[in-house]
Amino acid sequence: MKNKILNLRGTVTLLLLCTLLGISPVLAQQTGETRTLTGQVTDEANETLIGASIVVKGTTIGTVTDFNGNYSLTVPSDASELLFSYVGYNSKSVTIPKGTNILNVQLNSDTQILTDVVVIGYGTTRKSDLTGSVSNVSSKDFNSGLISSPEQLINGKVSGVQIMSASGSPTSGSTIRIRGGASLNASNDPLIVLDGVPLESGGISGNNGNFLSLINPSDIESMTILKDASSTAIYGSRASNGVIIITTKKGNSDKIKVSFNTTNSIQTRTKMADMLSHNEFVDVIKSHGTVAQQALLGNDNTDWNNQIYHTAFGTDNNLSIAGRLTKNLPIRVSLGYYNQNGILKTDNAERFTGSLSLSPSFFNDYLKLNINAKGSVNNNRFAETGAIWAASTFNPTLPVYSGNSNFGGYNEALDNTGAPVNAAVLNPLGRIEQNNSTSKVQRFIGNFDIDYKMHFLPELKFHATLGYDYAEGKGNVYVPAEAMQYYTTAGRDYEYGPQNNENHLLTTYLNYNKYIDSWKSSIDATVGYDYQYWKSTSPAYAELNTKGEIQTSIAASDQRHTLISYYARLNYTFDSRYMVTATVRRDGTSRFDSDTRWGTFPSVALGWRVTEESFLKDNPVLSNLKIRTSYGVTGQQDGIGNYGYMPIYTTGQDGAQYRFGDEYYYTYRPESYNKLLKWETTTSWNTGFDFGFLKDRITGSFDFYTRQTKDLIATVPAPAGTTFDKTITTNVGNVDSHGIEFTLNASPIQAKDWGWDLSFNMTWQNMKVKNLSLTPSSTTTNTAVGPSIDGYQFQVLSEGYEPYMFYVYHQLYDEQTGKPIEGAYADLNGDDEINSSDLYRYHSPAPEFIFGLSTSLRYKKWNLGMSFRANVGNYVYNGMSMNTGAWSTVSYNSYQLNNLNRSFLKTEFQNRQYLSDYYVENASFLKMDNLTLGYNFGRIYKWFNLNASAMVQNVFCITKYSGVDPEVPNGMDVSFYPRPRTFSLSLGLEF
């Protein structure tokens, strides 16, 4: 009975499949003489294909393969050919044999489809038809190793793209810049689009600055980078800084495949701040210190870095199930677990992820649905990073513990009465172990796509996407009352959040795609509408001490904005040679007043495939040459407030009420606003060419671009009496930039046992501030910006110069000793005085050249991979050297000694020289990011495939820079959390 039920189920399933495919199953409905053919359909690996279609050519007679890839088909005796087809494979027409009724067929995957299709905004296209500057990195080319966040997969892989992690902490995020960014004060972050859903940049409580880390890198299939205005203009106001399109993996094979990958690693610290050793410190104190200072020397030898750093363990585990439940129902399910300790003690990031992808199709693929759901839970423990400064400067002659229970037993600076010394450097280990700061962040990203090809006009397609992105973040902080950090205020014990972020999306568009043979023309036209709504709310909370007393109050927040868009794009190709792309998008944002709310962003691009011309076609050397040029305008309204154009009143907080009689009343404080605030716009030109030699064994591209940004959105000082604040957000100034990008890919060796692939990219870029004034002026405007130390800012925005150049004095040196002379600077303006008029602009943190190199060498089942990155022409202000390299910093009180930077031995400065160019150092570098050795064991006992690899990340760094790392945010190195060196072992199993 059970077998009969199973057979019935199989028959019903096959009948449904046949119905959806439009195939008439042969159930004695054919008349005349017939014969029955049987066989099996497989792929190149001899894996059976379930639901493959078999049709008698020229008829509707057909069937599909069963769950074992077998078929049986009754055909007319005069039938001569069968057509075998399967999604993702090349169709094959096979002559029906006369001497046998058994016909087995093997189908080959359509590699052209897999390698030539690139995801772009609102659709896909072939690489050969691209007219804009677009780069694509697939999963096989991703960086390997322990990857905590998706952007790390493509670091160093794409010209014009610079990715810098904020620090070595597993909880830190990254800065992503495409062509250097286009703005000064507004956001320079690119737009991230995940499976068609544009994501809101920024972080959330408990995960600030690291919102991409909530996405499992193992789920990503490819990343496409749109760089020029032609390719980005379809996203209009959100695309002035480029676009990164992330496509996640889907089910696509016939059989259900189970994959499991595990990567386990240890991380070790690399270079530390260059401080005096124990013996050097003792010698300096004895030779330079007073009797009282010498008396503060202890008898211990403590390496404080050893106290706060440790070898950190990490693991990343991913399980996925992918395949097809039926021919028309691909599915992929994945689960992931990631846990990484930081090399700074107590630092930890833990992530649980899950994803589901369903891609059913109906009516012979006329209707396709795509359902994606991704969820993650992040649990973070944040280390007290102030311990990094403390470990560098704390007296190395003192023990860790005091021998009593005061302050948790940690050795702290006390005065003669035993009370804590005000503003003392705290015990580094105490700062780490007595601070418990944790957070929990949950995120869900889902989208539902409908793709319907009209039955009455198959060239016309309707597409709709409903997207939803929700995140919730909350956390708590606890510092015991006895801890030195908050000793006078009885510690800390409070919770914050939950902050809730919501992102709603509706996308609808019509696409018409047709090749007109008589015209030798291909037309691909799209018109669409987008609606996107964001909301972020946070409740008010108070920072409490361990007694429940309020220390600080934080106001509630409710931020919302909406973007409505209409867009159209036309791709036209004539004779596979001449291409034109025209795009226009009109955006309306709730962040501006109704008079300035709407912006229009057009673009146009031309392409010429020269190798399709008769004089170059089938050339044995030059296999591809395509020339491209484009022009376009994009907008900017990110990175600013949501209500800056309207009058807003902020309610006063508890403790700030105004008293009338015996009653206390909350006040309402007016905020500054600018009703005329409008779009920041960037106009871009791009010219380039793509090339290929020797049947594309060597490929590459070259691009030259220019960008002009006007009406910069900036927060500037407000004239007195014009508003209710000292500053105002307005449109002011222009910035120009231009650059060159070059990419070269080669496969020098392609043989049975040997293979060698190379990929190289280079970027040169230059940016200049053209105007920063609200009104025309003959004098150069200098605006101090960037990080500060003790109120000093070290960078400046100046008209006619690169942004964020260091603004410093030119240090003078002793001609005999070569040592810098304390307080001696060049009189650059010749007025015989040294003052702020002698400050000059000296280099920039931005590199002039960026290089990337990846190589992969294969021998039989072995694979050796390496990747390198280099920056040339970038400079860093060594704030650690300046701030700890003068004798005055050895003690800020009468009870404590501080360690000194080794630069003191060279300069012997008595006081800190804040604005000396001595501390602006060339930070050009060459880094080896990855070294991987892998072995593919192949099939193991017919049960599973096995591969294994060993990896080292952050292998070495070659640089003249004397600080911790030449690659630091904003060009300022002060107690930087060092990036660790990671050693990993990975195993991959596929069942």
Side-chain angles (χ1 to χ4, degrees):
M1 182 66 181
K2 184 177 180 180
N3 290 334
K4 289 182 178 180
I5 293 174
L6 289 174
N7 289 335
L8 179 60
R9 287 179 178 172
T11 302
V12 171
T13 302
L14 291 174
L15 283 171
L16 288 172
L17 284 169
C18 292
T19 301
L20 293 174
L21 290 164
I23 295 171
S24 301
V26 184
L27 299 175
Q29 70 181 141
Q30 301 295 327
T31 60
E33 295 185 9
T34 61
R35 57 186 295 199
T36 300
L37 299 174
T38 60
Q40 189 178 62
V41 182
T42 59
D43 61 11
E44 305 100 317
N46 289 322
E47 297 285 347
T48 57
L49 297 178
I50 304 170
S53 172
I54 304 100
V55 179
V56 178
K57 201 166 186 180
T59 74
T60 60
I61 302 170
T63 187
V64 293
T65 56
D66 62 19
F67 297 104
N68 295 313
N70 298 319
Y71 73 93
S72 176
L73 178 63
T74 301
V75 304
S77 58
D78 58 350
S80 60
E81 287 185 81
L82 294 183
L83 182 63
F84 293 80
S85 62
Y86 193 73
V87 177
Y89 288 77
N90 291 312
S91 298
K92 180 180 286 188
S93 182
V94 181
T95 301
I96 298 175
K98 295 184 178 180
T100 178
N101 289 327
I102 299 174
L103 180 57
N104 297 320
V105 173
Q106 185 180 82
L107 297 182
N108 298 318
S109 59
D110 191 342
T111 55
Q112 181 67 24
I113 291 177
L114 298 176
T115 59
D116 197 38
V117 173
V118 177
V119 177
I120 58 173
Y122 304 101
T124 60
T125 189
R126 295 188 306 166
K127 289 181 183 179
S128 55
D129 291 339
L130 287 171
T131 54
S133 181
V134 178
S135 298
N136 178 264
V137 184
S138 63
S139 55
K140 68 181 181 65
D141 297 317
F142 285 161
N143 289 322
S144 58
L146 196 69
I147 303 295
S148 62
S149 192
E151 72 276 4
Q152 298 172 12
L153 296 170
I154 59 171
N155 195 10
K157 297 287 186 179
V158 180
S159 63
V161 178
Q162 186 178 17
I163 299 172
M164 181 192 299
S165 59
S167 75
S169 171
T171 62
S172 70
S174 297
T175 299
I176 308 172
R177 294 291 178 264
I178 297 177
R179 293 185 168 178
S183 186
L184 292 181
N185 290 83
S187 173
N188 277 308
D189 296 327
L191 173 64
I192 309 293
V193 181
L194 177 65
D195 287 333
V197 180
L199 304 180
E200 180 79 334
S201 62
I204 187 171
S205 289
N207 219 77
N208 281 328
N210 197 19
F211 79 113
L212 276 180
S213 68
L214 299 171
I215 302 168
N216 187 351
S218 181
D219 286 333
I220 296 176
E221 179 65 33
S222 68
M223 299 177 74
T224 302
I225 298 88
L226 313 181
K227 294 184 283 188
D228 72 329
S230 170
S231 57
T232 62
I234 192 70
Y235 287 108
S237 66
R238 309 194 65 195
S240 61
N241 298 306
V243 181
I244 299 178
I245 300 176
I246 301 176
T247 303
T248 57
K249 295 174 181 175
K250 310 289 190 297
N252 52 20
S253 63
D254 59 311
K255 275 194 169 184
I256 298 294
K257 293 183 179 179
V258 179
S259 299
F260 175 74
N261 293 280
T262 179
T263 300
N264 296 278
S265 69
I266 57 171
Q267 293 185 339
T268 61
R269 71 179 197 237
T270 50
K271 189 176 181 181
M272 299 288 106
D274 194 20
M275 311 300 289
L276 297 180
S277 68
H278 171 274
N279 292 338
E280 289 171 332
F281 177 73
V282 171
D283 290 343
V284 166
I285 297 299
K286 287 182 176 180
S287 61
H288 291 73
T290 64
V291 174
Q293 288 174 328
Q294 293 178 24
L296 294 175
L297 288 171
N299 298 317
D300 286 79
N301 185 348
T302 303
D303 187 328
W304 289 103
N305 283 327
N306 284 344
Q307 296 298 318
I308 67 168
Y309 292 105
H310 65 165
T311 299
F313 175 76
T315 184
D316 187 14
N317 304 276
N318 294 280
L319 174 69
S320 67
I321 303 173
R324 294 175 184 268
L325 297 181
T326 66
K327 178 191 175 182
N328 296 327
L329 184 54
I331 184 173
R332 185 178 186 272
V333 180
S334 72
L335 295 172
Y337 175 72
Y338 166 87
N339 190 312
Q340 177 64 62
N341 289 321
I343 57 173
L344 192 60
K345 289 180 179 178
T346 74
D347 205 13
N348 176 264
E350 181 183 48
R351 179 181 65 216
F352 300 87
T353 59
S355 71
L356 170 66
S357 173
L358 294 170
S359 306
S361 59
F362 306 96
F363 313 122
N364 277 344
D365 290 340
Y366 273 77
L367 175 63
K368 296 180 180 180
L369 306 179
N370 192 18
I371 303 167
N372 290 305
K374 303 171 188 66
S376 66
V377 177
N378 274 33
N379 297 312
N380 300 308
R381 169 81 186 265
F382 303 103
E384 171 53 63
T385 55
I388 297 175
W389 170 273
S392 297
T393 58
F394 208 80
N395 188 341
T397 68
L398 297 181
V400 177
Y401 301 102
S402 62
N404 57 58
S405 60
N406 296 336
F407 309 105
Y410 297 100
N411 195 342
E412 301 286 5
L414 308 176
D415 63 16
N416 292 333
T417 67
V421 175
N422 186 39
V425 177
L426 306 186
N427 185 298
L429 188 60
R431 294 199 70 161
I432 287 283
E433 295 185 337
Q434 292 181 303
N435 188 301
N436 189 343
S437 176
T438 61
S439 75
K440 182 176 183 178
V441 181
Q442 303 174 83
R443 189 174 192 178
F444 171 83
I445 304 174
N447 65 283
F448 174 56
D449 297 347
I450 300 173
D451 205 88
Y452 177 60
K453 188 167 57 175
M454 305 295 179
H455 276 77
F456 62 88
L457 186 62
E459 296 84 5
L460 181 63
K461 177 178 69 175
F462 170 76
H463 181 94
T465 295
L466 291 172
Y468 182 64
D469 180 5
Y470 174 82
E472 178 188 280
K474 58 184 179 180
N476 58 74
V477 176
Y478 175 75
V479 180
E482 67 270 15
M484 184 73 160
Q485 185 176 6
Y486 297 112
Y487 184 78
T488 58
T489 56
R492 289 292 185 273
D493 188 6
Y494 64 93
E495 296 181 351
Y496 57 87
Q499 178 184 352
N500 295 308
N501 289 353
E502 295 182 42
N503 173 4
H504 303 254
L505 170 73
L506 169 64
T507 292
T508 61
Y509 63 82
L510 288 171
N511 173 260
Y512 180 80
N513 193 329
K514 184 176 179 62
Y515 180 77
I516 304 175
D517 191 53
S518 59
W519 295 358
K520 298 182 180 179
S521 298
S522 174
I523 299 173
D524 184 349
T526 300
V527 293
Y529 164 83
D530 271 14
Y531 170 86
Q532 198 160 10
Y533 167 79
W534 295 268
K535 177 182 177 183
S536 178
T537 59
S538 299
Y541 70 93
E543 292 186 7
L544 308 176
N545 63 13
T546 55
K547 298 178 182 179
E549 299 167 337
I550 296 176
Q551 305 300 304
T552 305
S553 295
I554 310 299
S557 173
D558 189 336
Q559 298 290 323
R560 310 178 188 205
H561 68 281
T562 303
L563 186 69
I564 295 176
S565 310
Y566 303 91
Y567 49 89
R569 177 176 60 205
L570 173 65
N571 292 321
Y572 174 75
T573 302
F574 175 74
D575 200 21
S576 298
R577 290 180 291 171
Y578 311 113
M579 295 160 283
V580 60
T581 299
T583 303
V584 63
R585 178 164 173 143
R586 186 160 172 80
D587 283 334
T589 177
S590 63
R591 284 174 166 164
F592 301 143
D593 185 72
S594 57
D595 292 337
T596 57
R597 180 160 292 167
W598 289 91
T600 302
F601 309 102
S603 77
V604 63
L606 303 173
W608 177 27
R609 295 181 65 190
V610 185
T611 43
E612 289 298 310
E613 299 290 352
S614 57
F615 58 85
L616 274 181
K617 200 166 188 177
D618 300 323
N619 186 287
V621 177
L622 185 63
S623 50
N624 178 44
L625 178 60
K626 180 173 64 177
I627 299 174
R628 300 175 277 103
T629 187
S630 67
Y631 161 85
V633 179
T634 52
Q636 170 73 288
Q637 49 98 40
D638 285 333
I640 63 173
N642 293 315
Y643 315 119
Y645 70 93
M646 65 171 64
I648 296 291
Y649 292 84
T650 301
T651 307
Q653 300 179 24
D654 292 337
Q657 299 100 322
Y658 193 85
R659 181 177 179 178
F660 279 102
D662 295 330
E663 298 291 330
Y664 290 87
Y665 297 91
Y666 289 100
T667 60
Y668 289 88
R669 182 180 69 253
E671 304 290 346
S672 65
Y673 74 97
N674 178 10
K675 186 178 175 65
L676 301 178
L677 191 65
K678 61 181 180 179
W679 295 96
E680 175 181 303
T681 58
T682 299
T683 302
S684 304
W685 292 264
N686 191 99
T687 300
F689 60 88
D690 305 321
F691 60 87
F693 295 98
L694 305 176
K695 297 183 179 179
D696 286 352
R697 288 277 293 272
I698 301 173
T699 62
S701 64
F702 176 89
D703 284 274
F704 172 76
Y705 68 88
T706 64
R707 297 197 298 190
Q708 295 179 347
T709 302
K710 66 178 183 179
D711 297 325
L712 285 166
I713 298 176
T715 301
V716 298
T722 61
T723 184
F724 298 102
D725 203 341
K726 293 182 295 183
T727 61
I728 186 172
T729 301
T730 187
N731 297 96
V732 51
N734 306 323
V735 171
D736 289 0
S737 64
H738 55 277
I740 292 173
E741 297 169 357
F742 175 70
T743 300
L744 181 66
N745 303 300
S747 298
I749 301 176
Q750 286 182 339
K752 179 181 179 183
D753 292 335
W754 285 93
W756 183 23
D757 295 319
L758 284 168
S759 179
F760 170 79
N761 64 79
M762 181 276 289
T763 303
W764 171 79
Q765 55 191 21
N766 180 267
M767 196 172 183
K768 185 177 291 186
V769 179
K770 303 296 288 186
N771 175 38
L772 282 175
S773 302
L774 286 170
T775 57
S777 173
S778 59
T779 60
T780 299
T781 300
N782 294 317
T783 304
V785 292
S788 64
I789 299 177
D790 295 341
Y792 288 88
Q793 286 186 286
F794 304 87
Q795 293 166 293
V796 68
L797 297 178
S798 302
E799 295 164 345
Y801 295 89
E802 279 189 80
Y804 307 106
M805 294 190 74
F806 295 105
Y807 201 47
V808 290
Y809 293 109
H810 182 56
Q811 180 69 52
L812 297 180
Y813 296 82
D814 188 296
E815 293 181 356
Q816 294 181 341
T817 65
K819 285 187 174 182
I821 303 172
E822 184 166 349
Y825 305 117
D827 181 16
L828 296 183
N829 66 351
D831 63 356
D832 296 326
E833 292 184 16
I834 303 300
N835 53 35
S836 60
S837 298
D838 295 301
L839 293 168
Y840 78 113
R841 300 161 195 86
Y842 181 58
H843 295 298
S844 163
E848 294 182 36
F849 293 91
I850 303 172
F851 299 95
L853 173 66
S854 298
T855 178
S856 177
L857 180 65
R858 174 187 57 83
Y859 174 67
K860 293 186 177 179
K861 295 185 177 182
W862 291 94
N863 186 278
L864 177 66
M866 290 174 281
S867 61
F868 302 82
R869 281 187 305 115
N871 282 10
V872 177
N874 54 302
Y875 282 72
V876 167
Y877 184 90
N878 194 335
M880 198 67 185
S881 177
M882 184 282 298
N883 213 19
T884 62
W887 177 252
S888 61
T889 67
V890 80
S891 182
Y892 298 111
N893 54 68
S894 301
Y895 307 97
Q896 189 177 45
L897 293 176
N898 304 318
N899 201 358
L900 295 171
N901 193 277
R902 189 168 276 112
S903 65
F904 173 75
L905 302 178
K906 300 177 181 179
T907 66
E908 295 188 343
F909 284 156
Q910 295 301 300
N911 296 298
R912 286 173 286 183
Q913 306 299 297
Y914 289 94
L915 297 177
S916 171
D917 64 5
Y918 176 81
Y919 296 106
V920 180
E921 300 184 34
N922 187 335
S924 301
F925 65 82
L926 169 64
K927 287 187 175 184
M928 185 178 188
D929 283 339
N930 290 279
L931 173 63
T932 305
L933 178 64
Y935 184 80
N936 188 350
F937 291 88
R939 202 74 176 168
I940 305 296
Y941 298 117
K942 298 183 180 181
W943 284 97
F944 58 88
N945 290 315
L946 173 66
N947 61 77
S949 59
M951 292 156 285
V952 185
Q953 294 166 262
N954 193 15
V955 185
F956 63 73
C957 177
I958 300 173
T959 182
K960 292 182 179 179
Y961 177 64
S962 64
V964 173
D965 196 310
E967 196 175 21
V968 291
N970 305 309
M972 174 63 71
D973 181 5
V974 179
S975 60
F976 182 69
Y977 189 141
R979 297 182 178 94
R981 180 164 295 123
T982 306
F983 302 87
S984 305
L985 288 175
S986 291
L987 288 177
L989 295 88
E990 186 176 276
F991 299 89

